[in-house]
Amino acid sequence: MSAPPSPLRIVLVDDERMVRTALRAILSSEPDLEVVGEAGSGAEAVPVVRELRPDVVLMDVRMPDVDGIRATERILGTVPDPPRVIVVTTFENDAYVYDALRAGASGFLLKRARAAELVDAVRVVARSDSLLFPAAVRALAAEHAAARGPDREATARALRERLSEREAVVLRLMTDGLSNSEIAARMAVGPATVKTHVGAVLTKLGVRDRTQAVIAAYESGFVTPG
């Protein structure tokens, strides 16, 4: 009998101790999740993550001195094989959240989220085969992307030229929030084929995961709101 998989390792980053305590209590009650460390600021987060090498970081987006955006950039830019980052926020439709996603966060979670949503978010982001809260990510991208992207007609054309026909279809389905298995069913191909296409899309877009792929699709004009 094979050994059970190791629990997902999690680091909590928030300047409020009570928030960290509540998050730890929820996550530690799950047998497949383990909180391995905490940081009380964005500045503390980088050395903690570098030392403990978690799978997922829950990052408060608004903190004094070094906020969650800059902390995310530093972690993803300096830690080898960096973890997935979920930013935690009070407000869903927030430019700070969009900036954190642009900085490389794999998703976001509201502070008022239920315990089950918190646990599921960590698992979804760690698996990375589907988009966390796709409707909310699309809404953020639709509101903020046009103002952040450059010449959208030219960049959309350049992106289309880099992708094969099937890769372009996969990217559009990713922006719709479909998981790998859902894309496979829609395209009538095997999951392994979809995984290959998704990997090719991420490589050609120069992004780490499907959240950044969605943002790139909107900012380039490849996908337009509506």
Side-chain angles (χ1 to χ4, degrees):
M1 181 180 298
S2 60
S6 300
L8 292 172
R9 295 165 54 83
I10 304 161
V11 162
L12 309 175
V13 184
D14 197 295
D15 59 333
E16 295 186 31
R17 184 182 295 274
M18 289 182 64
V19 172
R20 300 199 308 270
T21 299
L23 292 173
R24 178 182 281 273
I26 293 169
L27 296 168
S28 297
S29 67
E30 300 294 322
D32 62 329
L33 306 178
E34 179 184 7
V35 177
V36 296
E38 300 181 11
S41 70
E44 292 176 12
V46 180
V48 169
V49 170
R50 185 179 290 118
E51 177 185 356
L52 298 177
R53 307 299 296 276
D55 301 296
V56 177
V57 175
L58 284 175
M59 176 80 71
D60 185 17
V61 73
R62 291 178 180 263
M63 293 180 286
D65 299 324
V66 178
D67 63 21
I69 300 167
R70 287 185 289 169
T72 296
E73 289 176 336
R74 293 179 186 179
I75 287 171
L76 299 181
T78 64
V79 176
D81 190 20
R84 305 283 176 178
V85 176
I86 302 174
V87 291
V88 184
T89 179
T90 303
F91 304 105
E92 179 175 343
N93 191 5
D94 190 336
Y96 272 84
V97 176
Y98 187 71
D99 285 339
L101 297 179
R102 292 182 90 235
S106 296
F108 72 93
L109 187 70
L110 296 178
K111 288 193 172 182
R112 64 176 181 271
R114 299 187 301 273
E117 290 178 320
L118 168 64
V119 169
D120 186 56
V122 171
R123 292 172 178 152
V124 168
V125 165
R127 272 199 316 270
S128 72
D129 63 352
S130 58
L131 195 65
L132 179 62
F133 304 137
V137 172
R138 290 200 308 272
L140 272 173
E143 177 169 353
H144 297 285
R148 309 298 178 89
D151 180 350
R152 289 162 64 79
E153 183 175 344
T155 52
R157 184 170 58 251
L159 192 153
R160 285 192 294 269
E161 290 173 352
R162 290 203 302 272
L163 300 177
S164 70
E165 183 176 343
R166 282 214 160 184
E167 290 164 357
V169 171
V170 167
L171 177 56
R172 290 191 183 280
L173 295 176
M174 287 166 63
T175 63
D176 287 340
L178 273 64
S179 66
N180 283 4
S181 59
E182 291 168 332
I183 294 173
R186 182 74 62 87
M187 297 180 67
V189 298
T193 299
V194 172
K195 186 175 181 179
T196 299
H197 287 322
V198 169
V201 169
L202 299 184
T203 298
K204 290 182 179 181
L205 268 59
V207 298
R208 183 166 179 250
D209 63 26
R210 59 208 306 139
T211 301
Q212 279 72 54
V214 170
I215 290 172
Y218 273 92
E219 289 197 348
S220 68
F222 178 83
V223 172
T224 56

